[in-house]
Every structure is written in C-alpha cells, then in structure tokens.
Amino acid sequence: MRIRPARVGETALLNDLVMRSKAYWGYDEEFLAACRDELTIDAGDVTAGRVVVAEDGHGVRGVASLQGCAPEGELGLLFVDPEAIGTGVGRALYRHVLAMARELGFTRLRIEADPNAAPFYRATGARPAGTAPSGSVPGRALPVLEVALPVARGGWLDAWTGGRRAAHLGNVAEFQAQWGDPSEEARRAGSHYACLAAFASPDPAVLVLPRPVPRAWVELNAAQLAWDRVVVYDGLDDRAGLVAAVLARPALATHLRDSGLALLPWGRTRAFGRLTGEDLPSAALRYESKRAAHEVFVRLAPAHPRIAVPAQWPVPNRWAAARSVRARARRGHATIVKTEHGAGGSGTWLVDGHRVRLPRGPLLLEEVVLAGTPRDVTYDGVIGPGGEVHDVGVAVMDVKGTAYRGATVGPGVVPDPLAETASRFGHAVGGEIGATGYRGWFDVDFVTGGDGRLAPTEINLRLTGPSAAFMIKARLDRIRGGDHVVRTVDQVPLGARLPDDELIALLRRLCRRCAENGTVLVPTIPTAAYEPAPYLGVALAAHAIDGLDAAEALVRDAALDVGRMFSPPDGSAAPRRSSR
C-alpha cells in the first residue's frame, strides 16, 4: 500500500468510495442522500493538494483530506473502502494527514466524527472535545475530537540519528565489560535488557541483538509504533561481545557499514569504533566513572545554587568501608557504598544497619541525601557531532533502594522548577563531557533533597531505560499527535513461564485491553518470559499520568493471572513445565 495525492480525474471514483464507506454503518438511502453534498469531493479540493488516497494492487482503498489554515485546521474526510476496513488503511491515512499537517505548521486538528468512527479516533490518540450539530441532518449531533500537534522542541533527534533511520546494536554486556568481566548472572541480565535497544531511536530499520527474539514481538511493536520494515539479526551473543560478534561476520559488518543507516550502539566501545572506522578517544568515557563524575559535579556546582553535591570519599577496600560505615551508623548516618563503575544500581548499596556483602574494593563512600519528592530524577541529552549539547528532557525514575526499575517521561511528570534545575546543570555537564571527545547519548542522575535542591549522583555515557521512554514518546507524538506521557516498567512478574507463542498471545490481549482504555502498550523485553523467575518489560503511553497508573495495574494483574492457566482445580501447585 502507498499513499499519494489524489488526482483530479478520479473524483467520481473517490465520491463513490466515500458513500459506500458511509453506508457501511447501516444508514438508509434517505440519510445518505442528505449527507451527499457535504461529503462530495470536487476538483477544487483535489487541486488544493490536501486530498490523499491510499492504494494497493486492488486500486484505491481509502481517501482523507486536510482543511483549514495553520495553526488550527480540521480533518475533512477519512473514509475507507468497506472491503479494506480493519486492514490498517484508516490508520495509515490518519497518520499521513497528521504528518502533513505538522509539516504545514498546524498545531491542532479538529475532527467532527461519525459516531461510529469516534472510537477509532480515540484509539489513535484524539481526545473528546464536545459535540457539534451535523451539517447535513437537522437535530443530529456529532462527537468532536481534537488532536494536538506540539511544535518540536530542540534538535536532539537529528543530532542523534542524523535525520536517518537507524541500525540499533544491543551491546549492553559488551559496554559493561570494559570495566571488568561481568558475572554470568550479570551477562544474562544484560542480554535481556539489550532488548531495549530496539528503542534506541524512534524508527529502527535494523536490530542487532544478543538473544533470539520472537519475530511476532517485532511485528507487534511495528504495529504499535508504525515502524516500517525492520530487519533483525539476533542470537549473536558470544563471550567477546555483540559488536565483536558482528565483526566476526564480515558480510554483516560490511552490510551495516554500507547501509546508509545511522549506527546506534547501546554504548560506545573500542569494537564499535572498529565497526564504524571512528576511534574512541582515550578520555571519551572518563565520566562513566562515579569518581570522575563527582569531581565534575563539585567543579560546576558553585554556578548552580539549586544543586547540592553530596560528599564522597574513597576507601581502599571493603574492610575500610565497613569501619567507616559502622562509625557513621553510630552517629545515626546511613551511607551509600559504590564501586567506580556499574549500571542500573549494580555496584551501589545503601547501608543503613543491615548486613551487606561488599566487593573487595577499592570503593567510594557517599553521604545519603534526605530524599524529597520526586526522589529520583534524570536528565537526558545528546552531544552532537560538533560537541554541541542538545537537551532531550527530564524524567522521574522508579528506584527501589538503589535498583532502577523504570522511568516516566512527559508533561507534568517533573515539577517545572526541578526540571529547569536539572536541565541547566545537565546541559553544563554535557559541555564538560563533549570536551573529552565523547559524542552521543548521556544522562545525569539526581536525588531530590528534602530542601528541594537536586543532588547529582552519577553520569551515564550510553543509552538507558529512560532513553527508551523518550524515543517511544517521540514516535507516538509524531504518529498519534498530542504530548504523551510514557512509562517504562522493566520487570513485570509473570505468574508462569511462557513459551514464545503463549507470550505473544498474552501481549496481544494486553495491547487490545489497553487500547480500549485509551492507552498504548509497547512490549519492550520479551526474552525473560521463560526464566525460572519469569518477567517481561513494557512501556505504557497515554495523554495523562492517571491513565498510566490504571494501565500498569491492569498489565501487572493480567501478567500474574497467567499462572492460573497451569493451576490444578484443587488449588495445589502446578507441575513445572518442561523446557523448550
């Protein structure tokens, strides 16, 4: 199927399609006759260039139009051949009109919908905005919906992708291995987490992943996010790392280099530099170190009065750490213990009197900030090719103890004063990072103090969980309109171990149930559904944060309920399923 401008010579064909589509809802001839003049497309409409059609091998399958003058306009028509209803033609036309409106400078579209079509528009992101009298049938009221088309802020996306589709490389474990060989447990967890690399940009063309992933998972995400065809290379994991595995396959490496796509790794490594032919400067990853990050925080903080850097000091080993921690505990102080490197809370412990087994060291000790609300905040940015810093946004992270579990991004999530403070300081940190030669995605994590100031805690020179939320938001804002709130939940426990077919069936049911409530579900991590403690990762999007709360509760309950399928009627424990 392709979408193209309508032609003057096909107005009769289009008008016939419109009336057949209107009749699909069971209206009688008298009603259709009353609507005919209002729904007729004439040559002038087509000449204005705002009428488009969808066609395939069977001919024209749908028609849509845009009316009005920027900044506010109206979806004039959207009709689909009855034989093509339910095949995606309507969604494709709707998204095309939104894109056309955005390019022409529209910031809001009004939709006067047939009552039968209103659920379609609500499911694609439009919001109810009252009623209006019918222009054809006296006494009849039509539902009115609106869709906002916010003006894009900043050029972070072009700086990140170069304005191109991208190949995404999920080299999570390879990135972490630069600071020591990860344990088998950490490697396994990293290979699951690498699925988030599918969302390394809003519009992937190629995915390179360490574990085999269900093709139906990719297809489901393509449907939810209107991706074009995505090519998947998976199951490439080996002890040397994901990009090293690509380099060991010369044909694949050459294909990626010559594809014309932006090559986006989860994190930059020496191996990735060999793939792209661009050396990684020796100091580029300096601020991935928590010690070096603290030094730059201390240096920049005096120019930012709403920033309070927590005290940090090194100790040579875990015995020295234990002595310091006990001494502070006697004075009523808890302590954060950190290794110099670590992601997602790994290598970080909150020690408040409970027994904790620490690594040998050396270690960093840090004072605990008395937390305010929201507690954990992160700023994300992109350092462009010339070293310029582009602000992406500020998010709230879900952190339990010191373990990262997900993030929420979007309007109203972070109070404006906190967001402004985080952005100013994060932008300044980005300038320091760019001076090392680093280029790409980065973030700065904060804890909100009880006095309302922000305490910066670490820098990440790579993609992270919040980055996936920002990418999904950017895509949904584009294809659905509006200003979405997006939440990622990295581990939703499952009530049973699910093979791929059963997992995909569950995800499809959840996508439908969420859509009925005006929420978009994007499954992010499918590969852990057959672990001994099975789980899945999801992202949820809506136009208001309370919609996310309800959708998350629905997903969590339904995920746990799958265990009932394997429970015997007497309530005794179900036998463990055999492995695949």
Side-chain angles (χ1 to χ4, degrees):
M1 185 184 69
R2 72 185 182 110
I3 296 176
R4 61 164 175 81
R7 302 172 184 134
V8 172
E10 58 191 0
T11 54
L13 179 151
L14 298 180
N15 287 324
D16 177 67
L17 183 153
V18 167
M19 297 312 296
R20 286 188 291 108
S21 181
K22 190 74 171 178
Y24 175 84
W25 302 113
Y27 296 124
D28 60 28
E29 288 297 328
E30 182 181 357
F31 181 92
L32 294 174
C35 297
R36 189 178 302 276
D37 286 346
E38 185 181 11
L39 299 180
T40 295
I41 300 169
D42 60 31
D45 298 325
V46 175
T47 303
R50 300 273 187 87
V51 181
V52 294
V53 300
E55 68 177 0
D56 60 16
H58 299 283
V60 173
R61 309 294 272 174
V63 59
S65 68
L66 173 66
Q67 296 179 351
C69 298
E72 298 193 358
E74 185 171 347
L75 178 68
L77 300 171
L78 199 166
F79 288 95
V80 176
D81 188 311
E83 293 183 359
I85 288 175
T87 63
V89 172
R91 284 180 180 270
L93 283 167
Y94 179 72
R95 289 166 177 165
H96 185 92
V97 170
L98 292 192
M100 182 167 61
R102 189 180 282 106
E103 290 169 3
L104 292 171
F106 288 83
T107 59
R108 186 175 301 275
L109 287 186
R110 173 184 169 93
I111 304 168
E112 290 187 12
D114 186 291
N116 296 289
F120 164 83
Y121 292 115
R122 288 196 299 270
T124 51
R127 308 188 74 175
T131 61
S134 168
S136 302
V137 181
R140 186 174 188 246
L142 299 177
V144 175
L145 302 97
E146 289 185 346
V147 57
L149 303 171
V151 177
R153 295 182 290 272
W156 67 265
L157 190 53
D158 281 345
W160 176 235
T161 67
R164 296 170 287 165
R165 295 188 73 197
H168 301 178
L169 288 78
N171 64 331
V172 173
E174 179 180 81
F175 181 84
Q176 289 304 113
Q178 296 177 106
W179 294 280
D181 189 26
S183 67
E184 191 57 40
E185 180 182 0
R187 188 182 299 276
R188 190 176 183 88
S191 68
H192 290 312
Y193 201 69
C195 292
L196 285 177
F199 312 97
S201 82
D203 190 17
V206 174
L207 303 181
V208 184
L209 299 172
R211 295 180 68 91
V213 294
R215 291 302 182 268
W217 169 69
V218 179
E219 293 164 3
L220 184 55
N221 279 324
Q224 296 293 83
L225 298 174
W227 289 343
D228 289 330
R229 181 172 178 264
V230 180
V231 178
V232 180
Y233 301 96
D234 57 356
L236 299 187
D237 199 17
D238 67 6
R239 303 298 298 184
L242 182 72
V243 179
V246 171
L247 291 169
R249 296 162 171 80
L252 175 57
T254 300
H255 172 66
L256 292 175
R257 289 191 196 101
D258 296 345
S259 65
L261 302 170
L263 300 185
L264 304 179
W266 185 262
R268 297 191 178 273
T269 63
R270 301 291 178 195
F272 182 74
R274 292 195 297 274
L275 175 64
T276 62
E278 300 174 356
D279 290 336
L280 184 69
S282 58
L285 298 180
R286 175 185 176 191
Y287 293 119
E288 184 73 22
S289 156
K290 295 180 176 65
R291 185 199 298 256
H294 187 266
E295 291 170 356
V296 79
F297 295 157
V298 170
R299 187 165 66 251
L300 294 175
H304 299 266
R306 299 299 298 168
I307 295 293
V309 182
Q312 184 189 94
W313 59 100
V315 292
N317 53 51
R318 63 187 179 190
W319 310 115
R323 287 194 297 272
S324 294
V325 166
R326 282 196 297 267
R328 286 177 53 79
R330 286 194 293 270
R331 297 194 299 271
H333 301 307
T335 308
I336 296 288
V337 182
K338 297 180 174 181
T339 55
E340 189 164 356
H341 297 92
S346 64
T348 301
W349 300 266
L350 171 62
V351 184
D352 56 3
H354 295 89
R355 184 181 295 275
V356 175
R357 182 172 180 81
L358 299 174
R360 295 181 182 277
L363 297 167
L364 301 170
L365 304 186
E366 195 168 283
E367 67 174 323
V368 176
V369 176
L370 183 63
T373 302
R375 192 187 83 165
D376 296 281
V377 175
T378 186
Y379 158 91
D380 280 48
V382 174
I383 300 175
E388 69 280 5
V389 180
H390 299 267
D391 301 329
V392 176
V394 180
V396 170
M397 296 185 291
D398 178 11
V399 177
K400 184 175 183 179
T402 60
Y404 171 84
R405 303 193 302 180
T408 305
V409 307
V413 170
V414 181
D416 289 344
L418 279 184
E420 182 177 349
T421 298
S423 291
R424 287 180 182 274
F425 190 73
H427 192 97
V429 170
E432 297 286 320
I433 297 169
T436 69
Y438 177 81
R439 300 292 182 265
W441 200 277
F442 75 100
D443 76 24
V444 182
D445 293 344
F446 303 86
V447 173
T448 306
D451 60 358
R453 293 191 296 173
L454 286 176
T457 58
E458 67 180 34
I459 297 169
N460 295 302
L461 301 178
R462 51 185 161 78
L463 293 171
T464 59
S467 67
F470 282 115
M471 302 297 181
I472 291 169
K473 172 177 165 51
R475 187 61 177 173
L476 290 174
D477 287 352
R478 179 163 186 81
I479 66 172
R480 287 166 50 93
D483 198 359
H484 288 79
V485 185
V486 177
R487 175 179 298 164
T488 56
V489 186
D490 287 354
Q491 290 199 14
V492 177
L494 286 166
R497 299 168 71 191
L498 293 184
D500 289 348
D501 289 347
E502 284 84 349
L503 173 67
I504 296 302
L506 170 67
L507 291 174
R508 285 176 174 149
R509 289 196 300 272
L510 288 175
C511 285
R512 288 194 297 269
R513 292 184 64 186
C514 285
E516 290 167 359
N517 296 326
T519 307
V520 179
L521 170 67
V522 178
T524 56
I525 301 176
T527 56
Y530 211 74
E531 289 288 312
Y535 66 91
L536 60 90
V538 300
L540 299 161
H543 286 301
I545 199 164
D546 56 351
L548 297 186
D549 295 336
E552 183 178 348
L554 183 156
V555 170
R556 288 187 179 278
D557 289 345
L560 287 176
D561 279 350
V562 298
R564 296 178 183 173
M565 294 188 294
F566 309 112
S567 298
D570 62 4
S572 61
R576 185 179 294 275
R577 302 192 69 175
S578 61
S579 61
R580 287 183 280 189

